[in-house]
Amino acid sequence: MQIQPFNQPPPTLGNQFEDDRVLRSYLRRVLPPEVLAEVARPLREMGALAGGELYQMQLADRLNEPVLTQWDPWGNRIDQIEVSPLWQKAEKLAAEFGVVAAAYEGKYGRFDRIYQFALAYLFHPSTDVYTCPLAMTDGAARTLVVSGNQELIDRAVLHLTSRDPVQFWTSGQWMTESTGGSDVGLSETIAKLNEQEEWLLYGRKWFTSAATSQMTLTLARPEGNPPGGKGLALFYLETHNEDGSLRNIEVLRLKDKLGTRKVPTAELMLRGTTAVPVMGLSNGVRNIVPMLHLTRTWNSISAAAFMRRGMALARSYAQKRIAFGAPLAEKPLHLDTLAEMQAETEAAFHLTFFLVELIGKDEAGEISEEEAHLLRLLTSLVKLTTGKQAVAVASEVLESFGGAGYVEDTGLPLLLRDSQVLPIWEGTTNVLSLDALRALGKSGEPLLALSGEIDRCMNSVTDGRLKAAGEVAQTAVAQAMKWLQGKLADDRNALEAGARRFALTLGRSLALAKLIEQAQWSLVVEGDGRPRAAACRFAKTQINQIVVVEPADAVALADDL
């Protein structure tokens, strides 16, 4: 008698728009009905691709990575990079769906950004971080638009925002050098003016993501400029000549990374690359800020999207996996673990899309003064908060699968490896915590605006459990404000040392408030208590991270020799 072995069925995905309760409920709350009716169709189409064809292609494409060919058979240096089949498919779909273009077409006014980032949120998890070049493309388009440089706007923005895959360009963002990532003021790239009055760039860009893009924005120091960030200028350059060859650019190598391995991240040498100043010959760091604000927002969207994908897979598996006589979905401890992960996921979602709302209002000229103060703070705050959440949830997702979560050909380890880039790219948690402190300014108006937004979210709450959860957020922010005042007055070193705990307290408090806002609406309008359950569960996590620490202990622990 032949014994049939037991094989556990793998998790499956359905339409990722139709199956996403959180996204659909949020869109019903914030979008006018006529806008929702129009955008639902493309979102549903994207959801079908994300849970179907693209997801299956992603699994099949698992072992493919970018390939760098530096020399042709006859000894000519060509430095050609070929991306994976999934990335080639993703580029075409991104253009056709308008994953960048939707933000620039002006069809829905301040709601354009919500629609665009809903598309990106669905698109991201099944495309092996093709959102990386899209983020920089969006950032470059916005930076050029606000620069007022009409020549570059006419030259590039139509390509960057095209829905035609043949015309569509992506952009790089070349800032990082071996002298330092976040400390861009140490940049060693030099810009020289030749006899034809063209600017030529010379230097090594140590970490350039999406090196296959048709153009890039980059920083360089015009000869004779002073050191530091103010002496840098923001330049526009196109990467290829008309014959397809690189424009005095050498690809030294592709980076061998922990995750985001489909992203062709390269180390480049600029050897007299033609470039055009975007906004004068100084203050390059300040001039590239519009790009950073958007790329950090894409980072936050990617975090929320990864968390949602992990939860979709974990719930599917829990319904199928039989252990000790019953599905995991019926085991109280497993349910409790999933609940904690879902609460973090919903909080990250609502925090991120609140930032998206503010960006949409700002670009449409409908933002209030208080909201503008808050927006200056949130691009750093939301990115650092969601980045940490994404890694923690991804780790729990893998653990929820047991050994299968550790096996590469399930596709699950990819979630954790790719999530790990989120607290690093576009500024680590520590760097962004210091950015958040600087964003507060001397007046502290952004902090007052954040506290006011939390109070506004609570003003309409009538449910008793949600009121109690809201008090957690209000109390945490009040303590954070008190801590800040004390440190500003007496100890700048302690202020810097506590910046991460301060920033995470603000971020998680606001996330809780936005989740409560959605939960109250869902109770009244939809009769759905699940967002309330998420809010109450999230309120029991470590929202308030302000603690009293002894600085001498940190010094002692750092010196362990």
Side-chain angles (χ1 to χ4, degrees):
M1 177 180 177
Q2 186 176 2
I3 298 176
Q4 285 292 109
F6 172 77
N7 289 314
Q8 182 62 52
T12 55
L13 295 175
N15 185 304
Q16 291 301 282
F17 174 69
E18 293 179 349
D19 292 351
D20 194 331
R21 164 185 62 84
V22 177
L23 172 62
R24 289 186 293 108
S25 179
Y26 167 77
L27 294 179
R28 284 194 293 269
R29 178 171 68 85
V30 300
L31 292 182
E34 64 276 11
V35 174
L36 179 57
E38 285 195 32
V39 304
R41 182 188 57 78
L43 289 174
R44 189 170 290 108
E45 290 175 1
M46 180 66 85
L49 283 167
E53 179 185 348
L54 278 177
Y55 177 57
Q56 293 304 316
M57 189 174 184
Q58 181 184 43
L59 294 175
D61 199 58
R62 183 177 62 85
L63 296 178
N64 294 321
E65 294 186 5
V67 175
L68 169 63
T69 301
Q70 290 183 304
W71 308 92
D72 74 5
W74 304 101
N76 300 301
R77 183 151 195 173
I78 54 174
D79 287 350
Q80 289 183 349
I81 300 173
E82 182 178 0
V83 297
S84 75
L86 176 62
W87 260 50
Q88 295 172 35
K89 176 77 169 180
E91 180 177 27
K92 181 176 183 292
L93 289 173
E96 292 174 343
F97 273 88
V99 183
V100 174
Y104 295 87
E105 293 169 339
K107 193 172 183 180
Y108 306 116
R110 67 183 177 93
F111 303 110
D112 284 336
R113 281 293 181 185
I114 296 174
Y115 170 44
Q116 177 213 13
F117 278 115
L119 281 169
Y121 167 83
L122 294 168
F123 181 74
H124 167 76
S126 293
T127 55
D128 287 345
V129 200
Y130 189 75
T131 42
C132 173
L134 297 183
M136 294 182 289
T137 301
D138 192 359
R142 183 64 182 164
T143 301
L144 292 176
V145 167
V146 301
S147 74
N149 189 323
Q150 196 60 47
E151 182 179 353
L152 294 182
I153 293 172
D154 294 341
R155 171 64 182 164
V157 173
L158 288 178
H159 287 290
L160 298 172
T161 60
S162 176
R163 286 180 180 258
D164 180 356
V166 177
Q167 295 296 321
F168 180 58
W169 286 4
T170 58
S171 175
Q173 175 188 314
W174 298 355
M175 295 175 63
T176 305
E177 301 189 11
S178 56
T179 49
S182 299
D183 192 0
V184 294
L186 297 176
S187 175
E188 295 179 336
T189 300
I190 298 297
K192 298 182 179 182
L193 198 61
N194 67 10
E195 293 179 354
Q196 289 75 41
E197 296 191 347
E198 297 173 318
W199 286 98
L200 306 180
L201 305 189
Y202 297 85
R204 181 174 63 154
K205 295 297 182 179
W206 186 75
F207 206 92
T208 63
S209 292
T212 53
S213 294
Q214 290 88 344
M215 60 150 286
T216 190
L217 296 183
T218 188
L219 298 175
R221 194 179 313 279
E223 280 191 308
N225 272 22
K230 291 183 178 180
L232 294 172
L234 178 62
F235 285 90
Y236 163 96
L237 68 86
E238 294 179 16
T239 55
H240 292 80
N241 297 305
E242 291 186 4
D243 64 0
S245 61
L246 284 171
R247 185 171 289 182
N248 294 337
I249 300 169
E250 289 182 1
V251 182
L252 302 181
R253 57 174 169 163
L254 294 180
K255 298 293 190 178
D256 188 7
K257 299 166 294 176
L258 168 70
T260 66
R261 298 185 67 89
K262 296 296 178 70
V263 182
T265 305
E267 184 176 336
L268 304 177
M269 186 66 74
L270 308 182
R271 299 192 183 278
T273 306
T274 307
V276 178
V278 177
M279 301 172 68
L281 296 176
S282 62
N283 296 311
V285 175
R286 183 182 68 190
N287 292 336
I288 205 171
V289 163
M291 188 173 202
L292 297 178
H293 282 173
L294 274 175
T295 52
R296 287 173 177 174
T297 302
W298 277 82
N299 197 98
S300 303
I301 287 289
S302 299
F306 268 146
M307 295 164 76
R308 154 65 190 161
R309 173 55 55 86
M311 290 305 304
L313 292 170
R315 279 197 297 267
S316 173
Y317 188 68
Q319 293 164 0
K320 298 177 179 182
R321 170 65 169 139
I322 305 298
F324 305 105
L328 287 178
E330 297 179 8
K331 302 290 185 180
L333 180 54
H334 195 78
L335 278 176
D336 186 73
T337 305
L338 291 178
E340 182 107 2
M341 296 153 61
Q342 180 65 21
E344 290 286 338
T345 300
E346 293 193 33
F349 176 94
H350 289 294
L351 177 63
T352 298
F353 271 91
F354 174 60
L355 170 59
V356 171
E357 291 175 40
L358 293 183
I359 292 172
K361 286 184 177 182
D362 184 44
E363 293 178 355
E366 299 180 20
I367 197 167
S368 70
E369 184 178 356
E370 184 177 24
E371 289 171 330
H373 289 310
L374 186 53
L375 178 56
R376 284 197 291 274
L377 173 63
L378 285 193
T379 49
S380 297
L381 208 62
V382 174
K383 191 270 188 187
L384 71 88
T385 303
T386 57
K388 301 302 285 187
Q389 289 176 299
V391 174
V393 168
S395 179
E396 287 285 5
V397 165
L398 265 62
E399 189 175 342
S400 75
F401 282 87
Y406 206 66
V407 176
E408 286 290 349
D409 56 7
T410 64
L412 294 166
L414 185 72
L415 277 172
L416 182 57
R417 285 202 310 274
D418 284 356
S419 292
Q420 185 61 66
V421 78
L422 299 173
I424 297 174
W425 185 54
E426 300 296 22
T428 63
T429 307
N430 284 358
V431 167
L432 293 181
S433 297
L434 297 175
D435 279 355
L437 284 180
R438 283 189 289 272
L440 296 179
K442 294 181 180 180
S443 67
E445 288 178 324
L447 183 54
L448 294 174
L450 185 144
S451 177
E453 178 62 26
I454 291 176
D455 291 340
R456 188 198 64 76
C457 290
M458 296 308 302
N459 287 339
S460 60
V461 172
T462 58
D463 180 79
R465 292 183 67 198
L466 291 178
K467 284 184 176 181
E471 290 174 1
V472 173
Q474 291 172 314
T475 301
V477 170
Q479 185 172 346
M481 294 172 74
K482 182 179 179 181
W483 174 87
L484 178 67
Q485 289 301 317
K487 294 298 177 286
L488 285 172
D490 60 26
D491 195 340
R492 299 292 301 189
N493 287 336
L495 175 65
E496 180 175 326
R500 173 192 283 231
R501 291 184 287 273
F502 173 75
L504 285 170
T505 298
L506 297 184
R508 292 181 69 81
S509 296
L510 183 58
L512 175 56
K514 301 311 294 185
L515 181 49
I516 289 170
E517 180 182 40
Q518 177 70 36
Q520 177 65 45
W521 181 88
S522 294
L523 275 176
V524 174
V525 177
E526 300 179 319
D528 188 352
R530 288 171 291 184
R532 178 177 63 181
C536 292
R537 184 59 183 261
F538 187 65
K540 297 183 185 302
T541 66
Q542 192 176 4
I543 304 298
N544 187 350
Q545 302 197 13
I546 300 295
V547 295
V548 177
V549 297
E550 177 54 57
D553 289 346
V555 174
L557 291 170
D559 184 9
D560 202 31
L561 299 179

